[in-house]
Amino acid sequence: MSGAKFFIPMLAVEVAMIIAASNDASFKTAAQSRQVAAEEERHSRLSATRDSCLMEMRDAYVLLQERDALAPQEAQRLRAECEAVHLALTTAQSDKDIRSAASRIPDLVYHVSSAVAKHREQTAWTARHEEEQERDRQSRQRRMEAARAATELHALSAGLQADPMVMRWHSQGILRLAAEIERAPAVDSAEFLLEANRRASDMIVEAKAAQLKADQRDYIARSIMQSLAGMGFVVSEPTSEHAEHPAAAKILHAANSAGKSIAVSVPVEGEVWYEVDGYLKTTQAKIGGGVALACDEGEAVLTEMHERLNGEFHVEAGELRW
């Protein structure tokens, strides 16, 4: 048994354009899958943020329910303000709208508390409360920013895992990133978000490039299969040399009624290998000494197949080397 090989060729422009267009559609579908999964994660966390903000209004409602805490007119005015903020929170449809409505909570709670304090002539308590409120405002702002970053991190993770193309080529990297996101302290979410987005972008670019090479490999393997079938061979469907590796070579076997066979290995890049069996093989003296293997009959069959590849499938095979 002997082997032959040729470098993976450049596809004709029209074939390359067809493959690129097909992949663009696949990439768009994958991007849509990422967007859907990310949007679902954002919606879930948006609801949690809304509920958290509504809980922060509890103190204002409690004070408004206290008997004789405020004059009736003042209590009515502040209750209307609470209802307005509550309505804004419950109808908000975006993180921006929730944060906008939530920004009114500190002032609202403060106004209610301050009014109660003044009504009870607790000036000293009001001063202390103002300091506490400012600390609470700053702390809340930090928590809101950390929550937003955490939401984006989980949305990024969900989107990547919903993309079959990226998972095919970078499953381990994506799972490692997802685990890091789960372990990341909330206070570091904003800084980690920048790093996670960079890593995700790199994996997407690498996956797209790898998928393009794999699609070219598959196109060449199937073109060889159809060419050999057109020459009277019974040809097997191309199969992966290693099923667990998406970048593995595609293998196919062809045999004719005369008992002659050809095995073909098509990698994602490099050289296509042939193994021919049943064909007469000879040796020839090499210039400078030694001998070289030759198989004129097998070479003629492979040359015909190359002509079909070029003419029918626009695959330009290189020179055969034994």
Side-chain angles (χ1 to χ4, degrees):
M1 183 172 292
S2 59
K5 56 188 177 180
F6 70 95
F7 281 99
I8 283 188
M10 293 295 292
L11 301 183
V13 173
E14 59 268 30
V15 176
M17 292 177 65
I18 291 172
I19 292 176
S22 175
N23 275 278
D24 284 343
S26 297
F27 298 154
K28 289 179 181 178
T29 300
Q32 291 171 354
S33 298
R34 293 198 304 273
Q35 291 171 359
V36 169
E39 193 57 36
E40 290 176 351
E41 183 69 18
R42 290 192 186 95
H43 180 75
S44 174
R45 289 182 170 268
L46 193 67
S47 297
T49 301
R50 180 187 289 108
D51 293 341
S52 175
C53 292
L54 290 173
M55 285 295 295
E56 292 180 6
M57 295 182 62
R58 180 181 56 186
D59 291 342
Y61 279 107
V62 169
L63 289 173
L64 287 173
Q65 296 302 321
E66 290 186 10
R67 189 174 183 180
D68 297 328
L70 295 168
Q73 186 175 4
E74 186 73 358
Q76 182 179 4
R77 182 183 65 81
L78 291 172
R79 189 173 290 109
E81 289 185 18
C82 286
E83 293 300 325
V85 174
H86 185 278
L87 179 62
L89 284 172
T90 55
T91 58
Q93 297 299 314
S94 68
D95 183 76
K96 178 181 178 181
D97 291 339
I98 285 184
R99 285 189 283 112
S100 176
S103 67
R104 299 164 58 185
I105 295 176
D107 287 338
L108 178 62
V109 175
Y110 170 73
H111 289 158
V112 173
S113 302
S114 180
V116 171
K118 289 178 181 179
H119 187 72
R120 294 176 175 176
E121 297 180 350
Q122 296 179 350
T123 305
W125 178 88
T126 301
R128 289 194 303 273
H129 186 68
E130 287 177 349
E131 294 176 1
E132 294 171 358
Q133 191 64 31
E134 180 58 27
R135 288 195 296 272
D136 288 346
R137 189 197 310 274
Q138 294 175 3
S139 177
R140 183 180 292 106
Q141 182 63 33
R142 290 191 294 270
R143 292 198 306 272
M144 290 291 291
E145 181 59 27
R148 184 198 67 80
T151 293
E152 289 303 315
L153 280 168
H154 283 81
L156 174 66
S157 176
L160 288 172
Q161 293 181 66
D163 185 336
M165 181 196 68
V166 181
M167 283 295 290
R168 181 185 187 195
W169 297 101
H170 269 302
S171 60
Q172 293 302 314
I174 291 171
L175 294 178
R176 281 196 300 271
L177 179 59
E180 291 177 36
I181 288 173
E182 291 297 333
R183 295 194 302 266
V187 293
D188 298 332
S189 295
E191 183 176 349
F192 184 39
L193 178 59
L194 296 175
E195 171 66 12
N197 276 325
R198 183 193 64 76
R199 288 165 60 182
S201 178
D202 289 345
M203 286 190 287
I204 290 170
V205 169
E206 291 170 4
K208 289 173 69 175
Q211 187 63 49
L212 285 171
K213 289 182 179 180
D215 287 340
Q216 176 176 268
R217 171 204 60 192
D218 295 346
Y219 179 83
I220 292 171
R222 188 157 290 277
S223 298
I224 291 174
M225 181 191 75
Q226 294 179 22
S227 295
L228 288 172
M231 294 166 61
F233 285 84
V234 176
V235 190
S236 67
E237 284 286 332
T239 58
S240 178
E241 187 174 21
H242 301 287
E244 67 277 13
H245 297 300
K250 290 291 186 178
I251 306 296
L252 59 94
H253 299 272
N256 62 16
S257 58
K260 299 175 181 180
S261 64
I262 301 173
V264 186
S265 174
V266 185
V268 292
E269 56 185 347
E271 298 176 325
V272 174
W273 286 83
Y274 301 115
E275 290 289 342
V276 297
D277 192 21
Y279 293 93
L280 178 64
K281 303 174 185 66
T282 61
T283 56
Q284 298 175 348
K286 295 173 60 177
I287 297 176
V291 295
L293 181 68
C295 182
D296 294 342
E297 184 182 9
E299 183 171 343
V301 172
L302 295 178
T303 299
E304 180 184 349
M305 186 198 73
H306 284 182
E307 292 174 353
R308 286 174 175 263
L309 284 175
N310 189 14
E312 298 178 23
F313 304 100
H314 306 287
V315 175
E316 298 179 3
E319 181 182 358
L320 280 170
R321 293 185 288 112
W322 292 95

